[in-house]
Amino acid sequence: DALREHRLHPEITALRVTNRLVDAGGAALVPALVTELGVAIPDVAAALLLAEDVLEIEPRRAALLALPAQVSRDAVHGALLEIDRGVRAVARFLVKSGGASLDAELVERRRAGFAALRADLGGFLSEVETIQMRERAAALVAQGLPATLADEIALLPLADRGLNVLRLAERVAAAPADVARVYVRLGE
């Protein structure tokens, strides 16, 4: 790859990472989480990047920004704030659980785990959480967002919980959907 051979490879990489972090939540995101969590900048940066990758935020953010002009800026801004809340919650979870390692294999396992949980929402969400998620999605659709994108964004507030289920599933070597069913029953 040409970038790896470029003499400014470290600087270009640092710029790309910085841009991703600023896109994720503005210039104050990293310092705010560093202060809140009491950890070093690299730990927060790694957790935020991992959260964005695991949750596959980049294509969702791009889809929001590409919506037609008839979708109000307020609706897009509100959806971006939902994404920000989800990413922050997952980053907090990753820092607190010590799971903020930038490991491509781990990212893929967690993405696959989230896909399994999304496929079985009835087993993953309590009745109250299901109602709340549907209400969030309906509000986003009412503001003009496509239903599929609204559903994905409406689930983000529960993503840190999903990561906890995935962590437990790895520990006990069980399917995420099976662990989620037990997890939700214990929480009721």
Side-chain angles (χ1 to χ4, degrees):
D1 169 53
L3 179 58
R4 288 193 180 118
E5 302 300 322
H6 197 283
R7 65 183 178 86
L8 295 176
H9 174 258
E11 291 82 3
I12 293 170
T13 301
L15 180 62
R16 290 176 67 192
V17 168
T18 301
N19 285 341
R20 277 190 63 197
L21 291 171
V22 171
D23 286 349
L29 175 61
V30 172
L33 286 177
V34 165
T35 300
E36 175 188 333
L37 299 171
V39 297
I41 290 171
D43 296 331
V44 167
L48 286 166
L49 293 171
L50 184 59
E52 288 246 331
D53 287 346
V54 166
L55 297 174
E56 301 178 273
I57 294 301
E58 208 168 300
R60 292 183 176 104
R61 188 179 290 119
L64 280 172
L65 297 175
L67 288 173
Q70 60 261 35
V71 177
S72 75
R73 287 180 181 236
D74 288 341
V76 172
H77 184 258
L80 288 169
L81 289 175
E82 285 294 318
I83 286 174
D84 178 65
R85 282 190 279 275
V87 169
R88 286 176 189 242
V90 168
R92 284 183 191 100
F93 175 86
L94 292 169
V95 167
K96 290 177 181 179
S97 69
S101 170
L102 292 175
D103 175 353
E105 201 174 291
L106 179 63
V107 168
E108 287 309 314
R109 279 198 323 270
R110 288 187 173 158
R111 280 183 186 164
F114 272 121
L117 293 175
R118 278 193 301 271
D120 187 26
L121 285 179
F124 173 56
L125 302 178
S126 69
E127 189 175 322
V128 170
E129 290 168 328
T130 300
I131 291 168
Q132 292 171 340
M133 188 268 306
R134 287 185 180 148
E135 287 173 351
R136 283 192 302 271
L140 292 168
V141 169
Q143 294 175 355
L145 270 68
T148 303
L149 183 59
D151 288 346
E152 292 170 356
I153 292 171
L155 272 172
L156 290 175
L158 300 167
D160 58 334
R161 178 179 167 189
L163 274 180
N164 201 29
V165 167
L166 296 177
R167 184 175 56 99
L168 292 170
E170 286 179 4
R171 281 190 180 168
V172 298
D178 294 338
V179 173
R181 279 189 281 284
V182 172
Y183 191 90
V184 76
R185 283 193 178 86
L186 288 174
E188 290 178 344

